[in-house]
């Protein structure tokens, strides 16, 4: 859930709750005030009755009016408690000048409306009367309804405005954040592109930007340091390896080795050549990552591939591998040296991890190069195989071959992926 | 077939070299009399090794001296400059990272003075820029450390061949004649059909005759060091078997011997 959505949700829910609560309080308050007012009216009416009775010593005449009905009923003395009630007000039709348009419909004589009443009592001479004054509350109700609708509309309008403003403002506010995020996503420790400085007035984002910049710079510095170290170490290793190599070459010129000595020398040769390859691979990796190999040219990929396959011919035969290939014409813009290494690595792998009498298929189309080979029954761990020094225990390789291959592919914006479709292990290069 | 083998005739032919007319004349005589001219195979090579790493310098010196060649050494910039200004060499092996100066400057001095010495750069830097730079300055070849001495020898031989025989393209070894341009091998006029790799291997052996060449060195020479087929050299064995068979069927001696399971040796018997 995005921060914006989360914030909006909380914001809206709170607003609705607060608004509802306010509405209820408002409604109650207005009802109370209006009731009070009605009660005052009733009081006034009651007082008028009392005054009339005091002066005239009889009950006043009752007039039918639109919003007031007064009834006198004889009652037992002192049986009536003075109280205000909510009651119904029966409104007769046709006895006013058509105050309601719909009064024409139906045969009914009137309708009930909400009313407010006052029960009181008066004594005229020796007679005791119960007084019931009822006033229609229709106007009050209408007023409340209008107020209620206005309130609701205001709430809805406010929500809408909040929503829009939030969306607009938050989107704009968070823009620098997403900018930083994007830069971070694109951040590559190995390339030379810097994260650009953000132009924002918000302190938090400025700080974030500063922190990100500092972090990126530090990571790059450390990485560069490490790379320089690797490069220097590998370079320094070259000379001793060269000495060992040349000394071995000199040693085998001396005569008469026993079988045991020859075996030891052979192992030494093997180890030195492995050490050398490993060292070369490390140097190559550093070089690719430094983008130091930029002499790119148009390469006829098909021809290059054919050459490579011919190069491996003896080795295919030695392992009795059945090699089939269909190659379409394809030109790529790349560094020849690197592409040769890439192909050599992939084909070497296809041979090395194959069994005697196995199969290798090579398929080149305009979109992709697919090299599939038979080999072990188990799929290789998909992403692990591309990491440095990952190799199967039986492998004689340096453990850097696929890492280098992927680096080379990335260098030219190709993708290199692995799949296992029994019995084939498939490596695919997608040209983009 | 008449075989001219006296040094006199060789020298006369040598002195005739390099003009187009003479080439045609030689060709004519060859065709007319069905004879094979034998270019002078120079027996003594004069080599200068400029390398600051003592172990490597000594190994190279030993490897190159054994065949009766003269191999001098220089450990630093100053002594190297002194030597190249005094003597001429068939080939100079030049390490470009020297403690007191840059090997490239030595190369520049050589070229500025128009000294004809062949130059092979041996460097720890495997960068294309360095390689191109060296070759542009007039070096004949560029070899990256670490290398096998047999590879170094093969490269030096190639340079010396190019330098000394100026356009001649025949390489001779006893009854073997190798046409370097046409890449054809003959045993006393009997053509031998070798594959590209077998041919390269034969040249490699001849350059390192009398030396044990390790299987690693052979594998790296033929397939490049990019191919790591460590400890699996069976395919080299079959290559060598084929070469021996083909040469012997054409009437050649058997020159290639297995050496203690470590490699092979091309001997003159």
């Amino acid at each position: 859930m995005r921060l914006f959505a989360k914030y909006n949700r909380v914001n809206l829910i709170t607003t609705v709750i607060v608004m509802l609560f306010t509405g209820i309080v408002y409604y109650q308050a207005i009802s109370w005030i209006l009731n009070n007012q009605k009660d005052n009216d009733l009081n006034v009416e009651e007082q008028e009755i009392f005054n009339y009775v005091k002066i005239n010593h009889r009950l006043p005449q009752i007039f039918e009016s639109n919003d007031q009905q007064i009834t006198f009923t004889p009652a037992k003395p002192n049986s009536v408690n003075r109280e205000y009630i909510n009651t119904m007000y029966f409104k007769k039709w046709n006895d006013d000048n058509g105050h309601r348009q719909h009064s024409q419909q139906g045969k009914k004589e009137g309708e009930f409306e909400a009313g407010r009443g006052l029960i009181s009592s008066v004594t005229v001479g020796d007679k005791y009367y119960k007084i019931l004054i009822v006033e229609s509350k229709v106007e009050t109700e209408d007023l409340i309804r209008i107020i209620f609708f206005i309130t609701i509309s205001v709430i809805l309008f406010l929500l809408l405005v909040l929503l829009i403003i939030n969306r607009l403002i938050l989107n704009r506010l968070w823009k620098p954040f997403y900018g930083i995020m994007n830069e971070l996503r694109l951040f590559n420790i190995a390339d030379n592109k810097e994260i650009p400085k953000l132009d924002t007035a918000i302190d938090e984002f400025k700080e974030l930007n500063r922190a990100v910049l500092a972090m990126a710079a530090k990571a790059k510095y450390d990485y560069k340091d490490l790379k320089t170290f690797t490069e220097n170490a590998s370079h320094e290793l070259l000379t001793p390896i060269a000495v060992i190599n040349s000394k071995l070459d000199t040693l085998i010129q001396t005569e008469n080795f026993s079988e045991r000595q020859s075996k030891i020398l052979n192992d030494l040769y093997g180890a030195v050549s492995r050490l050398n390859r490993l060292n070369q691979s490390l140097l190559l990796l550093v070089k690719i990552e430094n983008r130091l190999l930029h002499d790119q040219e148009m390469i006829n990929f098909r021809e290059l591939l054919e050459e490579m396959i011919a190069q491996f011919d003896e080795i295919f035969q030695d392992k009795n591998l059945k090699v089939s290939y269909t190659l379409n014409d394809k030109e790529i813009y790349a560094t020849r040296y690197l592409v040769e290494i890439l192909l050599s690595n992939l084909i070497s792998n296809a041979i090395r991890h194959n069994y005697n009498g196995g199969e290798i298929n090579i398929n080149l189309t305009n979109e992709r190069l697919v090299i599939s080979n038979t080999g072990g029954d188990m799929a290789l761990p998909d992403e692990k195989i591309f990491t440095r020094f990952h190799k199967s225990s039986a492998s004689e390789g340096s453990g850097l071959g696929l890492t280098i291959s992927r680096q080379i592919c990335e260098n030219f914006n190709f993708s290199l992926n692995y799949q296992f479709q029994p019995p084939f292990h498939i490596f695919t290069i997608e040209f983009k | 077939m008449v075989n001219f083998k006296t040094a006199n005739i060789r020298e006369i032919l040598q002195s005739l070299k390099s003009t187009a007319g003479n080439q045609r004349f030689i060709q004519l005589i060859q065709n007319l009399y069905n004879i094979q001219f034998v270019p002078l195979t120079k027996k003594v090579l004069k080599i200068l090794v400029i390398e600051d790493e003592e172990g490597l310098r000594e190994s190279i010196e030993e490897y190159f001296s054994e065949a009766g060649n003269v191999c001098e050494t220089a450990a630093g910039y100053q002594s190297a400059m002194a030597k190249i200004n005094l003597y001429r060499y068939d080939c100079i092996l030049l390490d470009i990272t020297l403690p007191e100066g840059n090997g490239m400057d030595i190369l520049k001095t050589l070229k500025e003075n128009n000294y004809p010495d062949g130059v092979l750069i041996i460097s720890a830097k495997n960068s294309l820029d360095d390689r191109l730079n060296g070759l542009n300055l007039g070096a004949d070849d560029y070899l990256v450390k670490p290398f096998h001495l047999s590879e170094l020898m093969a490269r030096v031989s190639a340079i010396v061949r190019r330098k000394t025989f100026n356009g001649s393209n025949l390489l001779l070894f006893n009854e073997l004649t190798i046409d370097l341009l046409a890449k054809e091998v003959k045993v006393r006029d009997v053509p031998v059909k070798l594959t590209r790799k077998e041919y390269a291997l034969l040249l490699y052996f001849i350059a390192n005759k009398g030396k044990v060449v390790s299987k690693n060195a052979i594998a790296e020479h033929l397939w490049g060091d990019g191919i790591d087929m460590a400890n699996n050299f069976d395919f080299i064995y079959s290559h060598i078997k084929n070469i021996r068979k083909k040469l012997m069927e054409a009437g050649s001696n058997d020159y290639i011997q297995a050496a203690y399971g470590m490699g092979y040796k091309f001997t003159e018997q």
Side-chain angles (χ1 to χ4, degrees):
Chain A
M1 182 187 264
R2 293 177 72 175
L3 182 75
F4 167 63
K6 175 88 181 166
Y7 172 78
N8 242 2
R9 181 173 299 179
V10 171
N11 200 19
L12 288 186
I13 289 175
T14 324
T15 315
V16 168
I17 289 173
V18 170
M19 286 292 187
L20 279 179
F21 180 73
T22 323
I24 290 165
V25 170
Y26 197 42
Y27 176 83
Q28 292 296 347
I30 286 179
S31 300
W32 187 78
I33 290 169
L34 289 178
N35 263 356
N36 246 12
Q37 209 173 350
K38 277 278 170 227
D39 291 353
N40 277 344
D41 286 354
L42 291 172
N43 268 349
V44 169
E45 202 60 42
E46 186 193 25
Q47 207 54 54
E48 273 178 14
I49 293 171
F50 286 160
N51 288 343
Y52 188 91
V53 169
K54 209 185 235 169
I55 296 166
N56 299 324
H57 301 286
R58 59 179 176 93
L59 287 175
Q61 204 178 343
I62 295 162
F63 297 103
E64 286 286 334
S65 95
N66 277 336
D67 48 5
Q68 206 179 53
Q69 288 167 347
I70 302 169
T71 44
F72 300 102
T73 17
K76 269 193 257 162
N78 297 325
S79 64
V80 179
N81 291 327
R82 189 174 183 273
E83 59 176 349
Y84 297 100
I85 51 161
N86 284 321
T87 177
M88 299 307 278
Y89 173 84
F90 185 76
K91 180 176 166 68
K92 281 190 187 149
W93 295 336
N94 303 328
D95 56 353
D96 60 334
N97 28 6
H99 147 287
R100 297 240 161 149
Q101 291 304 313
H102 59 257
S103 57
Q104 258 65 353
Q105 70 179 17
K107 291 268 172 1
K108 280 185 250 166
E109 293 183 348
E111 67 178 350
F112 285 101
E113 285 173 353
R116 181 75 175 165
L118 172 65
I119 299 174
S120 185
S121 56
V122 69
T123 318
V124 183
D126 51 352
K127 278 189 180 144
Y128 188 80
Y129 292 97
K130 174 186 166 196
I131 312 171
L132 175 64
I133 313 168
V134 180
E135 287 204 354
S136 168
K137 244 172 37 173
V138 114
E139 245 105 278
T140 322
E141 295 268 298
D142 279 349
L143 196 61
I144 289 176
R145 202 170 291 136
I146 286 167
I147 289 172
F148 180 74
F149 278 124
I150 289 176
T151 315
I152 286 288
S153 324
V154 166
I155 290 179
L156 288 179
F157 182 68
L158 195 65
L159 283 181
L160 192 72
V161 168
L162 269 178
L163 205 69
I164 291 171
I165 287 183
N166 278 351
R167 174 146 294 184
L168 284 182
I169 288 196
L170 282 180
N171 264 356
R172 183 163 317 160
L173 275 182
W174 284 97
K175 210 171 221 162
F177 176 78
Y178 291 116
I180 294 174
M181 283 281 291
N182 212 31
E183 287 298 334
L184 277 179
R185 208 171 294 129
L186 291 175
F187 178 69
N188 182 354
I189 202 164
D191 72 17
N192 296 319
K193 213 175 80 91
E194 293 282 336
I195 292 184
K197 216 167 157 53
L198 262 187
D199 190 25
T200 169
I202 315 261
D203 283 345
E204 281 86 346
F205 291 136
K206 268 189 197 159
E207 211 150 290
L208 178 64
N209 192 220
R210 251 198 309 275
V212 164
L213 282 180
M215 188 211 73
K218 172 115 176 60
K220 277 196 174 167
Y221 177 79
D222 287 353
Y223 184 71
K224 209 170 154 193
D225 213 36
L226 191 68
K227 227 165 35 178
T228 317
F229 172 76
T230 315
E231 199 173 11
N232 288 342
S234 304
H235 256 135
E236 291 305 315
L237 277 174
L238 279 175
T239 309
I241 294 174
V243 174
I244 297 174
N245 225 351
S246 68
K247 291 293 174 193
L248 277 175
D249 285 343
T250 314
L251 179 60
I252 60 168
Q253 305 309 327
T254 58
E255 301 291 312
N256 296 328
F257 289 107
S258 69
E259 202 169 303
R260 190 156 159 253
Q261 284 169 321
S262 318
K263 165 105 181 44
I264 292 173
L265 278 172
N266 261 340
D267 291 349
L268 270 175
Y269 261 120
V272 172
S273 109
R274 235 170 113 173
L275 180 61
N276 182 30
R277 271 196 307 273
L278 184 63
N279 203 36
Q280 300 285 6
S281 304
L282 282 175
L283 276 172
L284 182 65
L285 260 181
V286 174
K287 225 178 276 181
I288 300 170
E289 285 175 1
N290 277 348
R291 300 284 197 272
L292 286 182
L293 298 154
H294 34 231
D295 44 332
Q296 304 200 0
E297 53 182 319
M298 284 309 287
I299 298 172
N300 187 327
F301 205 65
R302 185 177 58 83
E303 274 177 16
L304 188 63
L305 199 52
E306 276 169 354
E307 273 171 38
M308 294 302 293
I309 293 170
Q311 180 89 319
F312 277 98
D313 208 25
E314 294 86 1
I315 305 169
F316 291 143
Q317 282 169 21
D318 185 58
K319 234 178 164 178
N320 295 316
L321 297 174
K322 205 166 77 193
V323 181
S324 55
Y325 50 90
T326 43
L327 310 177
N328 290 346
D329 268 316
K330 168 75 188 168
E331 293 226 312
I332 55 167
Y333 187 69
T335 312
R336 177 173 289 271
Y337 172 60
L338 288 185
V339 177
E340 280 174 6
I341 290 174
L342 172 66
L343 291 178
S344 164
N345 277 346
L346 292 179
I347 299 176
S348 298
N349 275 346
I351 297 170
R352 193 181 310 120
H353 301 290
N354 223 320
Y355 46 75
N356 211 332
E359 233 179 284
I360 296 179
N361 298 311
I362 301 172
N363 201 332
L364 174 69
T365 63
N366 206 32
E367 289 80 35
R368 61 186 68 86
L369 168 69
V370 182
I371 298 180
S372 52
N373 64 280
T374 51
D377 299 330
M378 296 288 285
L380 305 171
D382 198 359
E383 282 308 311
K384 259 194 187 160
I385 53 172
F386 293 106
T387 57
R388 290 174 188 206
F389 299 114
H390 174 88
K391 56 178 178 177
S392 61
S393 49
S395 171
E396 290 279 355
S398 64
L400 287 172
L402 282 176
T403 316
I404 291 178
S405 303
R406 181 165 260 190
Q407 282 282 356
I408 293 175
C409 285
E410 277 172 12
N411 211 31
F412 302 127
N413 278 329
F414 304 157
S415 69
L416 174 63
N417 288 302
Y418 166 76
Q419 266 177 292
F420 181 56
Q421 287 172 10
F424 289 105
H425 297 269
I426 303 169
F427 285 89
T428 309
I429 299 176
E430 301 266 0
F431 311 113
K432 280 172 198 160
Chain B
M1 184 187 113
V2 192
N3 213 347
F4 287 87
K5 270 199 166 174
T6 59
N8 280 346
I9 289 181
R10 288 182 192 165
E11 255 140 50
I12 293 164
L13 290 171
Q14 275 292 300
S15 63
L16 280 175
K17 69 195 176 188
S18 58
T19 66
N22 285 340
Q23 286 290 339
R24 236 175 285 136
F25 171 68
I26 293 168
Q27 201 68 50
L28 194 71
I29 294 177
Q30 277 185 333
N31 294 345
L32 264 178
Y33 299 101
N34 188 24
I35 53 170
Q36 203 101 60
F37 286 133
V38 180
L40 190 66
T41 343
K42 214 174 161 189
K43 281 283 176 238
V44 177
L45 285 181
K46 216 176 157 204
I47 309 273
L48 173 64
V49 183
I50 305 172
E51 163 67 60
D52 59 313
E53 183 65 36
E54 195 188 354
L56 195 55
R57 193 172 64 237
E58 281 174 354
S59 297
I60 296 174
E61 189 183 1
E62 195 180 335
Y63 197 88
F64 278 74
S65 302
E66 264 176 28
N69 301 323
V70 176
C71 188
E72 294 186 10
T73 59
Y77 181 78
Q78 301 302 337
S79 55
M81 283 303 244
K83 283 202 163 143
I84 62 160
N85 281 314
L86 276 178
Y87 310 108
R88 297 277 59 78
Y89 300 90
D90 293 309
C91 191
I92 296 173
L93 310 183
L94 176 63
D95 185 356
I96 46 172
T97 45
L98 292 171
E100 311 150 37
N102 193 336
M104 288 294 186
D105 293 335
I106 298 178
L107 180 58
K108 276 180 201 155
T109 312
L110 280 169
K111 293 304 156 188
E112 275 162 15
N113 291 304
N114 282 321
Y115 292 144
D117 315 37
V119 177
L120 173 78
I121 294 176
I122 44 181
S123 166
K125 282 193 196 158
N126 185 13
S127 89
L128 203 68
D129 286 346
D130 281 359
R131 189 184 290 256
L132 287 178
N133 201 4
L135 296 180
N136 280 341
L137 278 175
D140 296 276
D141 205 347
Y142 190 103
L143 189 57
V144 180
K145 286 182 192 173
F147 44 77
H148 285 284
L149 293 177
S150 45
E151 180 68 33
L152 185 65
M153 182 60 119
R155 303 274 187 116
V156 169
S157 303
I159 292 174
V160 171
R161 229 163 28 221
R162 280 203 299 272
K163 288 266 166 192
T164 322
F165 303 126
N166 254 344
S168 164
N169 48 23
L170 292 181
L171 176 73
L172 293 149
F173 182 82
N174 292 351
E175 68 270 29
L176 298 179
T177 309
I178 300 171
D179 187 332
L180 296 168
L181 270 189
K183 301 196 170 172
E184 281 169 3
V185 180
K186 283 182 184 171
V187 179
R188 287 195 205 87
D189 250 11
V190 181
V192 184
K193 271 223 152 315
L194 294 181
T195 64
R196 211 164 56 169
K197 286 216 168 68
E198 287 163 356
Y199 173 79
L201 195 52
L202 182 61
L203 276 190
Y204 197 66
F205 274 132
I206 290 178
N208 285 288
K209 59 177 172 279
K211 303 277 186 194
V212 176
V213 180
S214 69
K215 289 189 225 172
N216 279 77
I218 294 173
E220 277 173 30
H221 181 71
L222 292 187
W223 285 279
D225 52 4
I227 296 180
D228 55 15
M229 290 286 131
N231 305 331
N232 179 12
F233 292 128
D234 294 345
F235 43 91
I236 292 178
Y237 171 74
S238 52
H239 269 295
I240 294 198
K241 204 175 69 185
N242 285 342
I243 297 180
R244 285 167 77 178
K245 203 173 106 195
K246 284 179 183 174
L247 288 179
M248 281 160 75
E249 272 171 4
S252 153
N253 286 318
D254 184 11
Y255 293 112
I256 305 172
Q257 298 172 349
Y260 327 108
M262 289 178 300
Y264 296 89
K265 191 173 177 179
F266 193 87
T267 51
E268 209 163 346
Q269 286 181 337

